[in-house]
């Protein structure tokens, strides 16, 4: 049996009893990568030499009584839009194909302090723009459950690596659903924290008012451990929230008796695969059996969420990606005759089609004469979407629905239809616009592909989100299923 099938306490016990070493965990990670990576293609860069050196140092700690963190020795993967000192960070873009950062993102520093071992950098949609991982400039990642299908995106490499057993857990980033949707497609757990709870310092910006880093794990308990390590105030991030971080592990009581659940009719109606809807209703019955109660509610402005999101996110992307000019860092064109040529050619050659599409959309929305009609109006609708959630949370503890309207689709199936691709995030985008936490947990299979249950909570109430997800997980075995690669 793979060591990665053990829970975190079991791994700690084996390390403590000297039954295994950290080097064994790292060996197993690279062995598994060697076995399945040609099918899954989750990684862009491996850091084997440094990982093995780190493992050797941690093995020396096992011989002493030195303090060990909860994540001690665990092999992890990092989405390739979080900067890592001395390790290439490309954002899956040709523009950054030669970029080696000189510092670590705050979350990377925190995981190093927690004594986790970075195995490598994971594939993604270019600059986190996409929902299928097909927008990577280098290669698509494949869904471990069926390699003809997408793993979701933009954190598809992170989700696929965890599902395939290549790493114990991974970090992803979520702008409009980019942790939760791939977690659903790959049958694992993905948590998007409250905006500002996890530092964005060192995360290459896509849409600064929406981007949030979070964990992708095999189970809810691991998500709680990961959150305990990465959450917290960071003075380097101007949007970081300065609040006391609760003990997320103590929230995993399994008790949901009397919990009030709101189920938005907008999340269970038109456009939802009936088989997916059936799995959500089955999940609600499990929670009912544990003493929770649920009722239909409404989030009336949800229908405007996708349009609002793509205006706001594209506008912010247009602003954030202006810094990529071929001069300061990244790849520059060899064909430029003057400065304007250098800008034009570097950006034309460096960015992929989806990134160009969003830059153009965002630049248009921000341009003189259109700002009030598009960008300002979208900000006003965003406020209405947030108020919808506030209204429901006045009467309910949690909101539940599907993570995505369907299961994963085939690679290439939606490549020529960006609008259909955008609609895959219709269930996750409203949560991101409101800046509140949500988790996706496996709740069954349709046509042998995983379905995700989305549990949405009040701002800074990750504890309740984790408690409900854990209670559901303890009374089902969906999270124990593994793809047969």
């Amino acid at each position: 049996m793979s060591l990665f099938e053990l829970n975190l306490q079991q791994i700690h016990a084996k390390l403590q009893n000297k039954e295994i070493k950290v080097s064994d965990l790292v060996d197993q990670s690279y062995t598994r990568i060697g076995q399945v990576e040609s099918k899954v293609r989750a990684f862009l860069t491996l850091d084997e030499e440094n990982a093995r050196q780190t493992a050797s140092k941690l093995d020396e700690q096992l011989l002493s009584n030195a303090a060990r963190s909860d994540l001690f020795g665990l092999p992890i993967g990092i989405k390739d839009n979080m900067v890592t000192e001395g390790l290439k960070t490309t954002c899956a873009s040709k523009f950054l194909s030669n970029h080696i950062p000189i510092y670590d993102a705050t979350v990377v520093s925190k995981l190093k302090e927690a004594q986790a071992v970075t195995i490598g950098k994971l594939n993604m949609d270019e600059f986190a723009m996409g929902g299928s991982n097909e927008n990577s400039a280098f290669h698509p990642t494949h869904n471990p459950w069926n390699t003809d299908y997408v793993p979701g995106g933009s954190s598809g490499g992170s989700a696929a690596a965890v599902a395939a057993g290549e790493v114990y857990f991974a970090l992803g980033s979520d702008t409009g659903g980019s942790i939760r949707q791939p977690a659903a497609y790959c049958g694992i757990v993905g948590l998007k924290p409250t905006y500002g709870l996890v530092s964005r310092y060192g995360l290459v910006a896509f849409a600064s008012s929406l981007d949030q880093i979070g964990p992708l794990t095999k189970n809810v308990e691991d998500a709680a451990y990961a959150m305990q390590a990465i959450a917290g105030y960071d003075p380097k991030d101007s949007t970081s929230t300065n609040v006391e971080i609760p003990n997320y592990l103590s929230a995993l009581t399994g008790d949901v008796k009397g919990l009030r659940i709101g189920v938005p009719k907008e999340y269970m109606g038109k456009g939802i695969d009936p088989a997916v809807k059936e799995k959500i209703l089955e999940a609600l019955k499990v929670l009912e059996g544990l003493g929770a109660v649920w009722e239909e509610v409404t989030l009336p402005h949800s229908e405007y969420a996708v349009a609002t999101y793509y205006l706001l996110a594209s506008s912010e992307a247009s602003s954030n990606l202006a810094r990529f000019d071929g001069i300061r860092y990244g790849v520059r064109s060899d064909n430029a005759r003057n400065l304007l040529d250098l800008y034009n050619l570097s950006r034309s050659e460096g960015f992929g089609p989806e990134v160009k599409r969003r830059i153009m959309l965002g630049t248009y929305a921000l341009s003189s004469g259109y700002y009030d009609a598009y960008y300002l109006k979208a900000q006003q609708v965003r406020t209405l979407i947030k108020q919808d959630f506030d209204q429901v949370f006045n009467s309910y503890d949690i909101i539940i629905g599907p993570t995505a309207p369907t299961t994963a689709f085939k690679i290439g199936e939606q490549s020529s239809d960006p609008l259909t691709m955008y609609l895959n995030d219709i269930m996750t985008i409203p949560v991101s616009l409101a800046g509140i936490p949500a988790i996706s947990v496996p709740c069954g299979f349709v046509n042998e592909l995983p379905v995700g249950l989305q549990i949405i909570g009040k701002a800074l109430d990750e504890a309740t989100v984790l408690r409900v997800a854990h209670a559901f997980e303890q009374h089902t075995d969906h999270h124990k299923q593994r793809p047969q690669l």
Side-chain angles (χ1 to χ4, degrees):
M1 183 177 77
S2 164
L3 289 171
F4 291 4
E5 292 300 311
L6 303 177
N7 64 33
L8 208 135
Q9 289 101 327
Q10 290 170 324
I11 287 178
H12 276 312
K14 285 185 175 292
L15 289 168
Q16 184 70 30
N17 296 333
K18 299 182 175 55
E19 296 175 44
I20 60 170
K21 298 183 295 184
V22 176
S23 298
D24 296 329
L25 293 170
V26 171
D27 283 343
Q28 186 158 106
S29 183
Y30 284 115
T31 298
R32 181 64 173 167
I33 289 168
Q35 292 169 342
V36 304
E37 184 60 13
S38 62
K39 300 174 186 175
V40 178
R41 308 201 74 189
F43 282 89
L44 289 176
T45 305
L46 292 173
D47 195 25
E48 187 166 357
E49 184 178 347
N50 281 330
R52 293 193 183 280
Q53 287 176 0
T54 302
S56 295
K57 291 176 183 175
L58 295 178
D59 284 341
E60 290 174 12
Q61 285 192 31
L62 288 173
L63 301 175
S64 69
N65 293 320
R68 291 192 277 276
S69 79
D70 291 330
L71 305 183
F72 179 87
L74 292 183
I76 62 167
I78 307 290
K79 186 176 179 180
D80 203 27
N81 60 347
M82 299 169 209
V83 298
T84 42
E85 183 180 2
L87 181 61
K88 192 158 63 171
T89 299
T90 70
C91 291
S93 176
K94 290 179 181 176
F95 218 130
L96 289 176
S97 57
N98 64 352
H99 180 55
I100 299 177
I102 58 173
Y103 69 100
D104 282 326
T106 295
V107 286
V108 174
S109 296
K110 286 193 169 194
L111 289 175
K112 283 184 177 178
E113 289 168 16
Q115 300 168 305
V117 183
T118 300
I119 295 300
K121 304 296 289 293
L122 292 157
N123 199 14
M124 55 186 282
D125 287 295
E126 184 181 4
F127 285 104
M129 298 180 193
S132 67
N133 227 254
E134 295 169 285
N135 293 329
S136 170
F138 304 112
H139 55 77
T141 295
H142 299 254
N143 192 316
W145 290 94
N146 185 327
T147 53
D148 291 334
Y149 287 73
V150 302
S154 62
S155 305
S158 299
V162 174
E166 295 179 297
V167 291
Y168 194 86
F169 78 85
L171 288 186
S173 66
D174 193 308
T175 307
S178 290
I179 288 173
R180 292 161 286 156
Q181 184 246 37
Y185 282 3
C186 291
I188 61 168
V189 172
L191 173 63
K192 184 204 88 72
T194 303
Y195 180 79
L197 188 63
V198 177
S199 173
R200 292 186 301 112
Y201 180 75
L203 174 70
V204 179
F206 162 17
S208 302
S209 75
L210 294 157
D211 297 343
Q212 187 59 80
I213 294 169
L216 293 107
T217 60
K218 301 193 310 300
N219 56 58
V220 175
E221 186 177 299
D222 287 355
Y225 275 111
M227 274 301 297
Q228 206 70 55
I230 65 175
Y233 175 66
D234 180 12
K236 295 176 182 175
D237 175 5
S238 62
T239 60
S240 181
T241 303
N242 194 353
V243 294
E244 187 176 340
I245 304 301
N247 186 328
Y248 295 120
L249 273 301
S250 67
L252 308 184
T253 62
D255 180 19
V256 293
K257 193 170 184 180
L259 185 88
R260 295 164 299 169
I261 302 170
V263 180
K265 64 181 182 181
E266 294 82 3
Y267 288 18
M268 299 289 276
K270 184 180 177 183
I272 309 304
D273 183 333
V276 169
K277 180 179 177 179
E278 185 60 34
K279 295 300 176 187
I280 304 306
L281 292 172
E282 288 174 10
L284 287 167
K285 285 178 184 174
V286 171
L287 291 170
E288 262 188 324
L290 297 174
V293 293
W294 68 274
E295 295 175 341
E296 186 177 83
V297 298
T298 183
L299 297 169
H301 295 95
S302 293
E303 63 178 301
Y304 308 113
V306 173
T308 299
Y309 170 82
Y310 279 100
L311 278 169
L312 295 178
S314 298
S315 295
E316 294 184 26
S318 169
S319 176
N320 279 323
L321 269 62
R323 72 192 69 177
F324 295 95
D325 53 14
I327 293 176
R328 284 166 283 194
Y329 44 75
V331 174
R332 67 172 64 186
S333 175
D334 294 325
N335 303 313
R337 293 169 298 175
N338 54 49
L339 184 61
L340 282 179
D341 251 10
L342 180 61
Y343 292 152
N344 289 334
L345 290 174
S346 294
R347 290 170 69 80
S348 296
E349 295 167 11
F351 291 136
E354 181 61 29
V355 175
K356 291 176 183 174
R357 185 181 295 122
R358 299 201 196 191
I359 289 173
M360 288 190 288
L361 175 60
T363 304
Y364 179 82
L366 291 174
S367 61
S368 177
Y370 295 101
Y371 180 91
D372 287 351
Y374 293 107
Y375 183 77
L376 184 60
K377 186 69 72 178
Q379 288 286 26
Q380 291 168 336
V381 176
R382 181 180 189 171
T383 300
L384 294 175
I385 290 168
K386 181 183 182 302
Q387 289 173 349
D388 286 348
F389 281 106
D390 292 342
Q391 189 70 31
V392 172
F393 283 130
N394 284 334
S395 304
Y396 297 89
D397 302 303
I398 216 86
I399 294 171
I400 281 181
T403 307
T406 66
T407 55
F409 48 91
K410 282 191 172 181
I411 292 173
E413 190 175 350
Q414 297 182 9
S415 298
S416 60
D417 188 356
L419 188 57
T420 299
M421 185 83 79
Y422 294 166
L423 290 172
N424 288 307
D425 293 333
I426 197 166
M427 305 296 162
T428 53
I429 280 173
V431 176
S432 296
L433 290 169
I436 54 180
I439 195 169
S440 179
V441 294
C443 69
F445 293 81
V446 171
N447 298 325
E448 299 182 344
L449 290 168
V451 176
L453 176 74
Q454 184 174 206
I455 301 168
I456 305 163
K458 302 171 188 175
L460 298 172
D461 194 15
E462 278 75 7
T464 299
V465 171
L466 288 163
R467 174 165 61 91
V468 177
H470 183 255
F472 172 74
E473 188 181 77
Q474 294 307 297
H475 290 84
T476 58
D477 63 355
H478 309 303
H479 65 289
K480 296 178 182 176
Q481 309 302 313
R482 297 286 178 263
Q484 300 301 311
L485 278 160

